[in-house]
Structure formats: C-alpha cells, structure tokens
Amino acid sequence: QKEVEQNSGPLSVPEGAIASLNCTYSDRGSQSFFWYRQYSGKSPELIMFIYSNGDKEDGRFTAQLNKASQYVSLLIRDSQPSDSATYLCAVATLNSGGYQKVTFGIGTKLQVIP
Amino acid sequence: DAGITQSPRHKVTETGTPVTLRCHQTENHRYMYWYRQDPGHGLRLIHYSYGVKDTDKGEVSDGYSVSRSKTEDFLLTLESATSSQTSVYFCAIRTATYEQYFGPGTRLTVT
C-alpha cells in the first residue's frame, strides 16, 4: 500500500462546476496535510494546508480533513480553465527531532473543459 | 516564490560524468530539501539538510551526495551520472510553520 494515494486521473469537469480531488494516507501519525498545484513544466505551488479535522476555506478552494478515515480532499468551486493542472497531495509527519517527513502522492490531473 | 533559485535550469550530460546542481535561497531557512520527480513516481526525497553541514539521506539517496557549507546554498552532486538519474530535480525549503516551497527545478538529461 502506498503511503499517499491519489487517482492519477485525468479528472474532467466543465467550467463553473465543482472539482473534487481526493487523497488517502496510511500513517495515522500524520499531522500536516498540503495541496500543491503543478502546471506542466513548472514547479509545485503550495495552495492549501490543513492541520485539523474539518474544513478550511480560501477563496474558491476548500480543503477537508478526516483523520479517522485518513482522508483529505480539495474542492475547487467555480472551476476555471486556468485551474487545469496536476494537484499533488502531501502528508507530513514530524518526528521528535523536528524533522518533517513529507510524502507526496503522484498527483491528480485536472482538466476543466470550457 | 520564497526566494529560491536553482542552477542550471537545464543540463545534458554524458553517462559517467559528475554533475553538481545548486540551490540558493535568500530567506535564511534552516531546512532545505532535494527531490526528484519522475512520471508515475511523484516527488521523491533524495537528501535534506537541517543546518550548515547537517544533512541526511532521503528515500532515493544512492548515487547522490549533498553539501551545505552556507545557510543559503545546498548542493546536490551526482558522483557518476547514469541514465536512471535523468529526471527533474527540485529544491525546496521549509518554513517555521512547516510549509515547503519549491524552486523552479532543473531538468537533467543523462545520455
């Protein structure tokens, strides 16, 4: 079992719809959860992070975390063609020495159709 | 962009040659990381540093070494490049609140 699992997609949604991206993780001790957006040929860009169970909203983005189910998701409302990119889920665990081990999923490719 | 630059941005080299990639940051972050990104594998940690002269291995460290003689610079060296090291290499820093930010990347091709 991979430590962080994502469906590679592509996930196709029409413009204006809600895109829902999902991620599961295996380490119950994980503490921090991140979503990165990566355009083709570019570096990953941090767009959301969440540490506590529940929802966290930032503009059109909402991150949802359910630690009991080991599940984190990213919702993109009013999807735009400019949202077309690969979205990476990252899960971090902090050890006693202060080192944060971060494990990335392979990413879900999102296509927003005009 | 967290003030991270990488050089070179593109490099083509031959099998067996040594290669050094440089990561430079301007914001005095303690933690720095080197990742490689390959299709089907995602981002994988090669080495990381938690201070000047303090480094440790990641999950795919074989064939790579690193050095950090100044806070702002983190070097990744491929001792003898192989075709399996053809990849895109990203440097990252970690902030005090544990977010990681990435540099623009170096595309390395080993022929």
Side-chain angles (χ1 to χ4, degrees):
Chain A
Q1 180 189 7
K2 292 184 179 179
E3 293 182 51
V4 179
E5 297 217 39
Q6 296 182 259
N7 188 320
S8 60
L11 172 67
S12 294
V13 298
E15 184 175 355
I18 296 175
S20 178
L21 303 162
N22 304 314
C23 173
T24 59
Y25 60 95
S26 61
D27 187 346
R28 285 195 172 273
S30 298
Q31 299 161 316
S32 308
F33 306 85
F34 306 89
W35 283 99
Y36 289 83
R37 178 177 61 199
Q38 187 174 25
Y39 293 112
S40 180
K42 300 296 185 182
S43 60
E45 173 192 7
L46 180 64
I47 56 172
M48 290 287 287
F49 55 88
I50 186 167
Y51 305 133
S52 304
N53 275 332
D55 295 359
K56 178 181 178 182
E57 186 175 319
D58 184 0
R60 295 186 296 113
F61 298 102
T62 298
Q64 300 176 316
L65 175 61
N66 184 326
K67 289 188 176 181
S69 300
Q70 297 174 244
Y71 178 91
V72 59
S73 65
L74 178 70
L75 302 179
I76 306 175
R77 290 182 299 281
D78 188 23
S79 294
Q80 301 297 309
S82 59
D83 295 325
S84 298
T86 296
Y87 290 80
L88 308 177
C89 173
V91 175
T93 304
L94 192 64
N95 69 16
S96 57
Y99 168 59
Q100 183 193 48
K101 177 187 175 185
V102 179
T103 303
F104 288 82
I106 62 171
T108 298
K109 185 172 183 178
L110 173 66
Q111 295 177 338
V112 180
I113 311 301
Chain B
D1 63 358
I4 306 169
T5 57
Q6 293 184 232
S7 58
R9 295 293 312 281
H10 301 271
K11 186 169 182 67
V12 179
T13 192
E14 294 184 349
T15 298
T17 60
V19 176
T20 295
L21 309 182
R22 180 181 183 241
C23 177
H24 179 78
Q25 56 134 336
T26 60
E27 298 183 358
N28 210 37
H29 295 289
R30 179 183 174 195
Y31 282 81
M32 298 183 74
Y33 305 81
W34 276 107
Y35 290 90
R36 60 178 291 174
Q37 187 175 40
D38 305 287
H41 291 281
L43 283 159
R44 293 181 290 175
L45 181 65
I46 305 171
H47 281 279
Y48 68 98
S49 170
Y50 46 97
V52 174
K53 299 191 187 305
D54 293 323
T55 65
D56 206 348
K57 297 179 179 180
E59 63 181 296
V60 291
S61 60
D62 287 349
Y64 302 94
S65 63
V66 290
S67 66
R68 192 165 178 203
S69 59
K70 298 185 291 185
T71 299
E72 57 266 36
D73 290 323
F74 192 30
L75 304 181
L76 176 71
T77 297
L78 288 65
E79 306 288 350
S80 176
T82 68
S83 58
S84 65
Q85 294 175 311
T86 291
S87 186
V88 179
Y89 291 85
F90 290 105
C91 173
I93 59 91
R94 194 200 85 181
T95 68
T97 47
Y98 303 108
E99 297 104 65
Q100 287 194 15
Y101 294 90
F102 288 83
T106 294
R107 185 173 297 274
L108 177 68
T109 302
V110 183
T111 62

